[in-house]
Amino acid sequence: MKTIFEKSVAGREGCWPCEGMAEEAYIPSELLRQGDIGLPSASELDVVRHFTKLSQRNYGVDGNFYPLGSCTMKYNPKFTEIVAAMPGFTRLHPVLPQLQGAGGLCQGALEVMYETENLLCEITGMHAFTLHPMAGAHGELTGVMLMAAYHRDRGNKKTKIIVPDSAHGTNPASAAIAGYTVISVASVDGIVDPAALAEVLDDEVAGMMMTCPNTLGLFEKNLPEIVRLLRKVDALLYYDGANLNAVMGKMRVGDVGFDIVHLNLHKTFATPHGGGGPGSGPVGVSEKLEPFLPISRVAKLEDGQFFLGYDHPKSIGYVAPFYGNFGVVLKAYAYILRLGRAGLIRATENAVLSANYMRKRLENHFEIPFNRICMHEFVASAAEQAKNGVHALDFAKALLDKGYHAPTVYFPLIVPESIMIEPTETENKETLDQFIDDLIEIAELAITDPAAVQAAPLTLPVTRLDETRAARAMELTDDL
Ligand SMILES: *Cc1c(COP(=O)(O)O)cnc(C)c1O
């Protein structure tokens, strides 16, 4: 496929709304660039077709099943896009005056932020929320900074954060970036064992970060005991709630005793993501941590107007400019109101049901290391097939030939040859069955003709790459 530069023909251009209006009329001449900036010239139709064709070469959830474990997209109804595109929201500017008396036009947007914080408090049982962090990992870093601020305020000397080996990989990274020593605790039978935890607990522990459900898709059933143990050494509990679609409406992390939680609005609450954004990782805290939340904080005046407050002396300060990723917040707000309590509960139930259905149908074809009721996802292993030379990576590649996005492979690290599958709450039974049938077909081929699976993918523009070289010494070509 030719690049847009190769399609360029001098003199071709699109249609301007302000035909005949010289740039000089609205841009001072001294600011106008002199000379050619090297952009291609193409007609509007050429540009539209070019980018439409490029988009069709992309894989997305609008095209086919996307069972990527953990980080997948959950339910992204299209109506939330319409809400987020409303001009009353998109035309706002961050430095508009806030209050109506000052000519502010953003009271509605501030109210959306205020109410979204309240809704997230209700869903999680937390005391207060900040909408600032721009991603899950950013929420984690914010949460760990809140832990540090809390301990500093109390004069506690704390140097360590405990992270189970079944946690998401961003958890230890966030703790380390914030300057803590990360203490890993091995899971026992797939979950955190209070006895093993007690062994690494001491007065220097600032807190513990738990991914729940953990990366094996299992619920951490010892939470109350874990909370009790950490309280004894004045350590805080962090809940990685990126995948809240496994528990929302069923359990509130605040009620269990957690001090900090982050949610991924771009996973559980309606924003499609992938390839790096956009994201939003709001952080909820218990009452004792509220004074440390980042600024600005949206608040309500007595006369019912909303404003962004900056007067919070114990705040950790800014983690993002202004107030976070508003478009993503808006979609989450619309989503929560539209689904309501019953809808959110149904989403959770469907996510868990779908994952367990797939797990059961696959259990005779793949080793499932922790083969019991799972939450929104489960982890299978290709360890048996690997003895025959067919690895998790080969399964992932063979699935590409059948038109799927590959599941997450080789993560979590505690399962060899892991294949992590998250079907989500939205897929129908026919889609799940087709995927399972296709995966079983590949598993059978792995026995009868391992080389055929190892050769996949054969239907894509590129087949097997030296993936290390592709990342380290990228050679771009456009003649695919
Ligand atoms: C996706 C995910 C994260 C990280 O979120 P990002 O928005 O990608 O930074 C953290 N924890 C868990 C459990 C996740 O699934």
Side-chain angles (χ1 to χ4, degrees):
M1 188 170 154
K2 280 187 176 171
T3 67
I4 191 75
F5 286 89
E6 288 164 330
K7 288 178 187 163
S8 171
V9 174
R12 282 195 189 151
E13 56 181 34
C15 175
W16 278 98
C18 47
E19 190 68 67
M21 189 171 166
E23 284 95 345
E24 289 79 3
Y26 49 98
I27 301 176
S29 57
E30 69 273 19
L31 296 182
L32 280 177
R33 183 190 293 270
Q34 305 301 319
D36 187 14
I37 59 170
L39 288 179
S41 302
S43 74
E44 181 169 337
L45 193 56
D46 287 342
V47 172
V48 170
R49 285 189 182 153
H50 179 77
F51 286 103
T52 302
K53 278 192 189 121
L54 275 185
S55 78
Q56 286 164 345
R57 301 186 129 206
N58 245 332
Y59 193 95
V61 77
D62 287 345
N64 209 345
F65 187 41
Y66 201 121
L68 182 73
S70 186
C71 292
T72 200
M73 286 194 276
K74 331 288 188 197
Y75 181 26
N76 306 135
K78 295 285 179 264
F79 86 88
T80 60
E81 300 292 338
I82 297 171
V83 173
M86 286 178 170
F89 292 120
T90 56
R91 291 194 186 149
L92 291 178
H93 190 277
V95 295
L96 273 178
Q98 292 173 26
L99 300 182
Q100 262 158 3
L105 297 168
C106 50
Q107 280 296 310
L110 292 171
E111 185 172 356
V112 166
M113 288 188 239
Y114 186 85
E115 288 206 355
T116 304
E117 287 185 7
N118 285 345
L119 289 167
L120 297 180
C121 283
E122 191 177 333
I123 290 169
T124 58
M126 301 309 282
H127 178 74
F129 256 89
T130 172
L131 303 172
H132 287 232
M134 303 274 199
H138 193 194
E140 291 172 31
L141 182 62
T142 304
V144 178
M145 286 161 65
L146 291 169
M147 271 191 200
Y150 167 84
H151 289 304
R152 209 178 305 122
D153 190 56
R154 288 167 69 91
N156 288 345
K157 290 253 173 311
K158 304 277 195 179
T159 57
K160 306 180 204 168
I161 287 185
I162 296 177
V163 184
D165 63 359
S166 54
H168 195 267
T170 46
N171 292 186
S174 302
I177 285 179
Y180 284 102
T181 304
V182 178
I183 308 293
S184 177
V185 50
S187 44
V188 176
D189 193 26
I191 57 172
V192 175
D193 173 36
L197 174 62
E199 276 176 31
V200 295
L201 263 186
D202 61 32
D203 286 338
E204 291 196 5
V205 173
M208 172 163 175
M209 299 180 81
M210 295 195 69
T211 301
C212 188
N214 64 31
T215 53
L216 296 166
L218 300 176
F219 189 76
E220 294 282 353
K221 64 175 191 216
N222 299 320
L223 290 182
E225 176 65 2
I226 293 168
V227 171
R228 202 183 57 77
L229 285 170
L230 280 132
R231 288 265 181 276
K232 284 208 284 195
V233 294
D234 196 16
L236 298 170
L237 273 129
Y238 187 102
Y239 190 104
D240 180 333
N243 300 304
L244 209 73
N245 63 329
V247 297
M248 65 185 173
K250 297 285 176 183
M251 179 195 82
R252 302 202 316 163
V253 295
D255 297 345
V256 184
F258 277 81
D259 301 289
I260 312 170
V261 60
H262 89 260
L263 310 176
N264 277 24
L265 299 187
H266 51 294
K267 286 180 189 166
T268 305
F269 294 97
T271 288
H273 69 283
S280 175
V283 170
V285 293
S286 57
E287 196 168 355
K288 64 186 180 198
L289 290 175
E290 184 180 8
F292 307 105
L293 283 176
I295 47 173
S296 60
R297 303 276 329 274
V298 62
K300 195 173 180 177
L301 289 167
E302 267 173 18
D303 69 358
Q305 292 201 65
F306 300 90
F307 73 105
L308 294 173
Y310 294 85
D311 188 15
H312 299 279
K314 289 192 174 181
S315 164
I316 59 169
Y318 289 98
V319 297
F322 299 112
Y323 40 66
N325 215 340
F326 180 65
V328 181
V329 170
L330 195 51
K331 284 186 234 180
Y333 177 70
Y335 177 83
I336 293 167
L337 290 188
R338 176 65 186 83
L339 264 72
R341 185 184 298 266
L344 293 180
I345 292 173
R346 233 180 82 215
T348 299
E349 290 174 348
N350 284 346
V352 173
L353 180 63
S354 299
N356 280 287
Y357 176 70
M358 292 186 92
R359 178 181 59 82
K360 284 305 280 181
R361 275 210 57 201
L362 285 170
E363 69 184 359
N364 294 329
H365 304 271
F366 287 86
E367 189 190 327
I368 315 263
F370 302 96
N371 196 8
R372 56 179 190 259
I373 296 276
C374 62
M375 303 300 287
H376 63 303
E377 66 190 356
F378 66 100
V379 176
S381 167
E384 208 41 53
Q385 290 87 346
K387 289 180 192 158
N388 207 16
V390 181
H391 294 267
L393 183 72
D394 301 311
F395 280 97
K397 298 286 188 196
L399 281 168
L400 303 183
D401 268 342
K402 295 196 179 280
Y404 298 105
H405 191 288
T408 301
V409 289
Y410 301 109
F411 185 82
L413 304 174
I414 47 182
V415 171
E417 298 287 341
S418 55
I419 302 177
M420 184 197 221
I421 298 175
E422 175 175 4
T424 79
E425 50 268 36
T426 347
E427 299 293 345
N428 61 32
K429 184 167 176 295
E430 291 79 6
T431 305
L432 300 185
D433 280 330
Q434 186 62 55
F435 178 79
I436 294 164
D437 291 345
D438 287 338
L439 193 52
I440 292 173
E441 197 181 300
I442 299 168
E444 282 163 359
L445 193 62
I447 298 168
T448 55
D449 187 4
V453 186
Q454 288 159 341
L458 298 173
T459 59
L460 300 187
V462 285
T463 54
R464 289 277 173 133
L465 299 171
D466 176 337
E467 298 196 356
T468 314
R469 241 192 80 221
R472 299 266 164 86
M474 199 183 337
E475 282 164 33
L476 288 178
T477 168
D478 50 33
D479 50 47
L480 293 173

